[in-house]
Amino acid sequence: MRRIAARIDAATQALAETLTREQGKPLRDAQGEIMFAGYSLNLTAGLDLSPRTVKEDDNVRVVEYRHPLGVVAAITPWNFPIMLLINKIGPALLAGNTLGIKPAPTTPLPTLMPGPLCADLFPAGVVNV
């Protein structure tokens, strides 16, 4: 995830210009959305999903385990397509799931652009648009 964040950060200008042209968001706001997306991915990458003991006493021990659910559907809206896509990608991948991403029909290009940036980081079929 940190490698995806680095690639998104490096492509901020191109992503922001595409977002501005397609959605109409001011360029500065689009740049902020992209920068926040990279920050969010780095934050998610630092989460610890190892088992943790929730409660333990003489009678009971409760341990929380997190397991992949399978395929996660990530439907992106038109108003914050990159930021909300990244907020879905990070947790889903961290938990070991695969993704099916569906861009908003009014702003498909910003949602499609991160795909090639991370295509070589995952096995085929892990992230699908």
Side-chain angles (χ1 to χ4, degrees):
M1 278 189 280
R2 293 188 196 285
R3 290 171 56 189
I4 298 169
R7 290 179 182 188
I8 287 174
D9 288 343
T12 295
Q13 192 60 31
L15 287 164
E17 287 174 3
T18 300
L19 179 56
T20 295
R21 279 194 304 269
E22 190 168 73
Q23 191 239 22
K25 183 178 290 193
L27 184 59
R28 186 171 183 187
D29 291 352
Q31 291 166 332
E33 179 177 339
I34 310 304
M35 289 170 26
F36 182 78
Y39 172 78
S40 176
L41 262 180
N42 279 315
L43 201 63
T44 302
L47 295 176
D48 181 17
L49 297 185
S50 57
R52 73 177 181 104
T53 302
V54 177
K55 179 182 178 182
E56 186 170 11
D57 59 32
D58 293 338
N59 300 319
V60 69
R61 180 170 187 229
V62 178
V63 179
E64 176 184 71
Y65 292 93
R66 298 180 187 256
H67 300 284
L69 298 174
V71 179
V72 173
I75 301 171
T76 60
W78 67 272
N79 57 344
F80 290 94
I82 302 253
M83 183 173 66
L84 294 176
L85 170 66
I86 296 303
N87 284 344
K88 293 171 180 158
I89 286 177
L93 293 177
L94 182 65
N97 298 294
T98 60
L99 281 146
I101 299 166
K102 191 237 176 252
T106 52
T107 55
L109 293 179
T111 306
L112 295 172
M113 288 179 74
L117 296 176
C118 64
D120 64 330
L121 298 177
F122 302 107
V126 172
V127 177
N128 304 283
V129 182

